[in-house]
Amino acid sequence: MMDNKELKEFLDEKADYYQSRWFIDDDPVQIPHLFQEKEDIEISGFITAILSWGKRSMILSKCKELMQRMEMAPSDFVRNASDREFDRLAGFVYRTFNEVDARYFLKALHEIYVQYGGLEKVFSVGLTDNNGIVDAIAYFREVFLSFGPATRTGKHIANVRKNASAKRINMFLRWMVRCHSPVDFGLWSSISPAHLLIPLDIHVGRVARALGLLTRRANDMKSVLELTGRLKEYRPHDPVFYDYALFGLGVYEKF
């Protein structure tokens, strides 16, 4: 076991190593890196994050397919696609996410950009002093599912009010908010990196427990808050920096 100082130095070293351009090459974040414009990055990033479960090769394949069905212009498609153009989504499926879900997601994004001013605006409006990004995620879910989805579609947006870890949404927020990173975009100035929560998956959870950073056994929101709180002791202005260390150790080094 390392003492606190040694552990911080170890995590800093690993996070610096994995927060590198090469990390993009086989990570889902490569999909939004295909684009240059803010809304294209946001929309492609959000969809990619939502589809990010399972084998990374399949995630990348299916996300690229969906971008191609939108003619590699996700913002223009979301804002302007006709019903006939929406038919390009016919037959799309990745695991439990299918054409019904894809149609709703893109139409909901249309309403969010037209009625609410975009994804950044919705998350920043939902941010509170008391519960921070947890309230922002809850508010986003409320808005996103307010346009009449099929019952099945709601399961693709984490419900933090029921203690879900919201791993994929927290990953998306990391991409959008963290700045001065070769991997993350830093597009959203209305949310501070200090507000972000760790994207907790099985790899991050396993490594965090092995290092004594997390005591709870479940990968839920309570564990997210516990782990993020510990990481804030090392880097209060940017605790999710250590996502790179924990994820990299778990996936690449089988820690």
Side-chain angles (χ1 to χ4, degrees):
M1 292 294 292
M2 292 175 273
D3 64 29
N4 209 40
K5 183 176 181 292
E6 291 171 332
L7 182 54
K8 181 183 185 306
E9 291 174 351
F10 175 69
L11 292 173
D12 282 336
E13 178 185 348
K14 291 298 181 180
D16 278 331
Y17 173 71
Y18 286 107
Q19 186 184 228
S20 302
R21 288 290 307 180
W22 67 263
F23 183 87
I24 298 170
D25 292 343
D26 66 347
D27 189 80
V29 76
Q30 73 170 254
I31 302 299
H33 272 283
L34 296 172
F35 302 97
Q36 301 297 320
E37 298 300 319
K38 180 177 185 283
E39 290 186 1
D40 284 329
I41 293 169
E42 290 172 345
I43 291 168
S44 64
F46 175 71
I47 293 169
T48 298
I50 293 299
L51 295 183
S52 289
W53 84 101
K55 291 185 178 180
R56 284 196 284 177
S57 60
M58 286 302 300
I59 295 167
L60 293 171
S61 174
K62 281 298 180 177
C63 288
K64 287 176 182 176
E65 176 189 334
L66 194 50
M67 295 305 117
Q68 289 163 355
R69 288 180 184 235
M70 293 187 280
E71 298 190 332
M72 299 302 292
S75 176
D76 181 65
F77 190 93
V78 162
R79 286 187 173 275
N80 302 308
S82 65
D83 289 342
R84 183 174 180 180
E85 288 169 322
F86 260 86
D87 288 342
R88 295 175 191 159
L89 303 174
F92 180 82
V93 61
Y94 175 61
R95 303 189 72 160
T96 63
F97 189 97
N98 65 18
E99 175 188 344
V100 171
D101 305 312
R103 284 178 176 270
Y104 180 80
F105 265 62
L106 296 178
K107 288 184 176 180
L109 286 169
H110 171 87
E111 298 301 331
I112 281 174
Y113 279 93
V114 170
Q115 295 187 38
Y116 289 85
L119 284 166
E120 179 180 5
K121 184 70 172 179
V122 174
F123 279 101
S124 61
V125 166
L127 195 68
T128 67
D129 291 335
N130 292 330
N131 294 311
I133 213 74
V134 176
D135 282 346
I137 295 171
Y139 177 69
F140 169 76
R141 186 177 195 275
E142 178 183 330
V143 171
F144 192 81
L145 297 178
S146 68
F147 309 110
T151 302
R152 57 164 287 113
T153 300
K155 68 185 177 183
H156 295 294
I157 302 292
N159 189 347
V160 293
R161 297 299 186 218
K162 293 186 176 180
N163 202 30
S165 70
K167 176 259 180 178
R168 287 172 283 171
I169 293 179
N170 282 320
M171 182 174 69
F172 168 68
L173 292 172
R174 193 202 84 198
W175 293 348
M176 296 300 106
V177 172
R178 289 194 71 253
C179 49
H180 310 301
S181 167
V183 180
D184 302 317
F185 294 91
L187 293 176
W188 293 3
S189 59
S190 60
I191 299 175
S192 167
H195 283 118
L196 296 177
L197 299 175
I198 196 79
L200 180 59
D201 64 8
I202 58 172
H203 307 291
V204 170
R206 185 181 73 251
V207 174
R209 292 180 184 96
L211 292 172
L213 293 167
L214 178 61
T215 60
R216 298 187 78 259
R217 297 181 67 179
N219 288 337
D220 56 15
M221 181 52 67
K222 290 180 181 178
S223 291
V224 169
L225 295 173
E226 178 188 338
L227 177 55
T228 305
R230 284 296 310 275
L231 298 175
K232 280 188 174 184
E233 295 174 13
Y234 301 143
R235 198 178 177 96
H237 65 289
D238 184 22
V240 175
F241 169 69
Y242 294 111
D243 184 37
Y244 287 99
L246 300 174
F247 181 80
L249 285 165
V251 172
Y252 294 100
E253 302 185 39
K254 307 302 181 185
F255 186 91

